[in-house]
């Protein structure tokens, strides 16, 4: 059954990814048509065409490898302003590459297309056309994040007891059960039970987990605890002791212990080892419940996720050595290692097969899809060809050149010839293909797993 669920999860994620790509390309095409640019093809995937049909003036279809998509517009690259053969001299290799790129991008004009070409539109219109694709991924990511955060929420610790610990063990110690010399926890001795909701500690009300946690940490010795059990209010006495507990940051999150290089230290099960400090200890684990976020909290959380995605995108080159070791040298695959389509799909399959409530699996799958869409937005905005950001940079540069010419009453320099940058684009594509192959190998032989 697990294998079946994993397969279904992989297929579901691949389908969601294909729809995300189609959504991206729809943004390009809708903006292009709005400005009167003729779009000849709208395809999802690359390689052999599996299916296509023509509606109106555009051919829509699906290709064999769902690793991207494209919208083919008339006049994406302007014609050369100079005849490369007029001089009678052989073209340089660089010029030959430029003209080959121009020929490959050329779409035969049909009657009426003379004024419907991409390069003929004002730079601001071309900027909108190229920006419309990534912004569709951004909008989709924000909508999914908002639905998850405001509709489902995240697990948060509550003042309800989820589990009473049997013995006192310092935070960060990797032990199973209770050591022979470990004393029972104050919570166990006080008779606190699973499901009890703690209302106050030594007269201080504890409306949320943060207040309860800080109050217990500051307590010591005989402590009066008021709790609610099965609708009744009870008072118990607990002898709060001092023990080594996890150190917390300003947000109440455990501070993770790091090595000399600043890398988090994990135990044999892959769990982060926290920094510790002496503080009051009662000895119970709080119940985790989903708490929907407010609109303001959602905005802050999306901003944090956005920052993390950008940081990871910028750090991609530094991850290549680790990927190489994981793929070919048997090195350990880091939990924050980048993943490709195969790796992300495997994570989707693993999520669906997890033995957790359906709502939790749904939330995890949606968060994964939203993060992928945000990454697609950020990646496509990189100012390099053949990415959308490269075309956006070309439109901006053309605007600057024309503004400069008007300022000094010089002739209009005309459209920026993006074909001149295509040799650089070939290098970028080659690097991207190499990185994709490395990701594929690592995702197959040493995948990132949610459960170790």
């Amino acid at each position: 059954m697990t294998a079946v669920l994993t397969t279904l999860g992989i297929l579901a994620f691949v389908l969601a990814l294909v729809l995300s790509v189609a959504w991206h390309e729809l943004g390009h095409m809708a903006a292009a048509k709005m400005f009167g640019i003729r779009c000849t093809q709208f395809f999802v995937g690359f390689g052999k065409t599996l299916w296509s049909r023509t509606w109106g003036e555009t051919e829509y279809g699906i290709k064999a490898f769902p690793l991207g998509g494209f919208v083919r517009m008339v006049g994406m690259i302007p014609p050369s302003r100079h005849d490369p053969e007029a001089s009678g001299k052989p073209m340089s290799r660089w010029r030959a590459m430029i003209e080959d790129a121009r020929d490959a991008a050329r779409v035969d004009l049909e009657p009426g297309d003379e004024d419907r070409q991409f390069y003929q539109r004002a730079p601001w219109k071309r900027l909108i056309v190229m920006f419309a694709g990534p912004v569709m991924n951004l909008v989709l990511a924000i909508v999914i994040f908002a639905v998850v955060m405001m509709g489902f929420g995240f697990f948060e610790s509550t003042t309800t007891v989820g589990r009473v610990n049997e013995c006192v063990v310092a935070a960060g110690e990797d032990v199973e059960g209770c050591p022979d010399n470990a004393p029972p926890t104050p919570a166990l001795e006080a008779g606190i039970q699973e499901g009890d909701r703690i209302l106050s500690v030594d007269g201080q009300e504890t409306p949320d987990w943060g207040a309860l946690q800080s109050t217990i940490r500051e307590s010591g010795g005989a402590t009066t605890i008021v709790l609610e059990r099965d609708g009744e209010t009870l008072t118990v006495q607990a002898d709060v002791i001092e023990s080594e507990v996890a150190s917390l940051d300003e947000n109440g999150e455990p501070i993770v212990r790091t090595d000399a290089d600043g890398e988090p230290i994990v135990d044999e099960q892959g769990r982060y080892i926290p920094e510790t400090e002496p503080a009051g200890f009662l000895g119970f684990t709080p119940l985790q419940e989903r708490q929907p976020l407010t609109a303001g909290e959602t905005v802050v959380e999306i901003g944090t996720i956005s920052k993390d995605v950008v940081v990871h995108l910028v750090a991609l080159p530094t991850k290549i050595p680790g990927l190489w070791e994981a793929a070919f040298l048997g090195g350990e695959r880091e939990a924050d290692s980048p993943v490709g389509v195969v790796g992300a799909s495997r994570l989707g399959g693993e999520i669906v097969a997890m033995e957790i409530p359906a709502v939790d699996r749904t939330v995890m799958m949606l968060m994964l899809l939203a993060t992928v869409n945000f990454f697609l937005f950020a990646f496509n905005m990189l100012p390099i060809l053949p990415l959308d950001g490269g075309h956006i940079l070309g439109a901006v540069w053309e605007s600057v050149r024309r503004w400069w010419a008007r300022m000094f009453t010089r002739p209009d320099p005309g459209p920026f010839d993006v074909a001149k940058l295509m040799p650089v684009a070939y290098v970028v594509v080659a690097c991207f293909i190499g990185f994709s192959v490395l990701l594929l190998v690592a995702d197959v032989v040493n995948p990132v797993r949610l459960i170790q």
Side-chain angles (χ1 to χ4, degrees):
M1 187 62 179
T2 300
V4 173
L5 290 176
T6 300
T7 302
L8 289 176
I10 292 174
L11 293 177
F13 184 82
V14 171
L15 176 61
L17 185 60
V18 169
L19 293 176
S20 297
V21 171
W23 181 248
H24 174 106
E25 300 302 332
L26 179 62
H28 287 312
M29 187 176 69
K33 287 181 176 290
M34 180 176 66
F35 293 128
I37 302 169
R38 184 166 77 88
C39 301
T40 62
Q41 290 183 317
F42 177 102
F43 273 84
V44 175
F46 296 101
K48 182 180 179 181
T49 300
L50 301 180
W51 171 87
S52 70
R53 180 168 296 180
T54 300
W55 282 291
E57 60 185 16
T58 306
E59 178 188 9
Y60 301 84
I62 299 175
K63 292 185 176 290
F65 302 102
L67 302 179
F70 64 91
V71 172
R72 189 177 295 276
M73 308 174 201
V74 173
M76 279 292 293
I77 296 180
S80 177
R81 302 180 64 180
H82 307 284
D83 184 354
E85 299 180 358
S87 63
K89 298 179 180 179
M91 289 187 292
S92 65
R93 179 167 298 182
W94 184 270
R95 170 56 65 177
M97 293 175 65
I98 293 174
E99 296 308 320
D100 288 343
R102 198 187 311 278
D103 291 339
R106 181 176 293 118
V107 177
D108 293 335
L109 299 182
E110 296 183 358
D113 287 347
E114 293 79 10
D115 296 321
R116 300 186 63 192
Q117 301 182 69
F118 177 79
Y119 78 89
Q120 294 173 328
R121 296 298 177 262
W124 68 269
K125 293 183 178 180
R126 281 182 279 137
L127 188 149
I128 290 176
V129 170
M130 300 313 300
F131 185 67
V135 81
M136 293 290 272
N137 292 119
L138 177 63
V139 169
L140 182 58
I142 291 176
V143 169
I144 295 176
F145 280 138
V147 168
V148 170
M149 296 175 188
M150 300 177 67
F152 297 94
F154 295 142
F155 279 109
E156 293 184 4
S157 298
T158 66
T159 58
T160 300
V161 177
R163 179 173 61 86
V164 177
N165 301 334
E166 295 184 1
C167 59
V168 179
V169 178
E173 288 190 10
D174 186 16
V175 296
E176 295 184 3
C178 288
D180 295 336
N181 59 344
T185 62
L188 184 66
E189 291 190 314
I192 296 176
Q193 301 177 10
E194 178 181 338
D196 290 346
R197 186 165 70 92
I198 299 179
L199 304 178
S200 67
V201 176
D202 258 355
Q204 297 188 44
E205 294 186 356
T206 53
D208 54 44
W209 168 246
L212 175 57
Q213 186 180 46
S214 61
T215 302
I216 293 174
R217 282 172 170 259
E218 295 169 359
S219 300
T223 304
T224 301
I225 298 177
V226 179
L227 51 86
E228 182 181 278
R229 178 185 300 166
D230 297 330
E232 297 183 4
T233 301
L234 303 176
T235 300
V236 299
Q237 295 294 324
D239 186 17
V240 177
I241 64 172
E242 184 180 272
S243 181
E244 287 294 317
V245 300
S247 302
L248 305 178
D249 59 19
E250 62 274 10
N251 298 318
E253 298 295 330
I255 299 175
V256 178
R257 190 177 302 172
T258 58
D259 58 21
D261 297 325
E263 295 295 324
I265 300 175
V266 298
D267 59 19
E268 295 180 353
Q269 284 73 42
R271 297 171 300 190
Y272 291 120
I273 300 177
E275 295 281 357
T276 63
E277 62 183 8
F281 177 78
L282 187 57
F284 73 93
T285 302
L287 180 67
Q288 300 281 320
E289 292 182 344
R290 287 196 176 278
Q291 302 291 333
L293 275 60
T294 64
E297 292 171 337
T298 299
V299 171
V300 173
E301 191 68 27
I302 291 176
T304 300
I305 294 175
S306 304
K307 177 182 176 181
D308 291 341
V309 170
V310 173
V311 169
H312 281 83
L313 178 61
V314 173
L316 274 182
T318 66
K319 301 294 184 179
I320 293 178
L323 278 173
W324 181 269
E325 292 183 4
F328 301 106
L329 304 178
E332 181 180 355
R333 189 80 182 268
E334 299 293 337
D336 62 347
S337 174
V339 297
V341 175
V342 172
S345 300
R346 292 186 66 158
L347 290 177
E350 189 174 339
I351 290 171
V352 173
M354 294 175 71
E355 295 182 358
I356 57 177
V359 64
D360 296 337
R361 285 179 285 174
T362 301
V363 167
M364 292 180 68
M365 184 69 87
L366 288 175
M367 288 295 289
L368 177 62
L369 179 61
T371 303
V372 168
N373 270 274
F374 198 96
F375 180 84
L376 289 175
F377 162 76
F379 181 73
N380 275 284
M381 288 303 296
L382 292 177
I384 52 177
L385 286 175
L387 302 178
D388 297 330
H391 290 282
I392 291 174
L393 179 62
V396 171
W397 175 241
E398 181 177 323
S399 296
V400 172
R401 291 199 313 168
R402 287 182 166 177
W403 172 81
W404 187 264
R406 288 194 301 269
M407 285 286 293
F408 294 93
T409 62
R410 295 177 179 176
D412 187 340
F416 174 68
D417 189 2
V418 71
K420 293 180 179 180
L421 299 179
M422 292 309 293
V424 177
Y426 292 151
V427 176
V428 173
V429 170
C431 293
F432 178 70
I433 291 175
F435 185 68
S436 298
V437 171
L438 179 59
L439 278 177
L440 175 62
V441 175
D443 287 341
V444 171
V445 303
N446 194 355
V448 173
R449 298 185 184 277
L450 296 176
I451 302 176
Q452 300 298 326

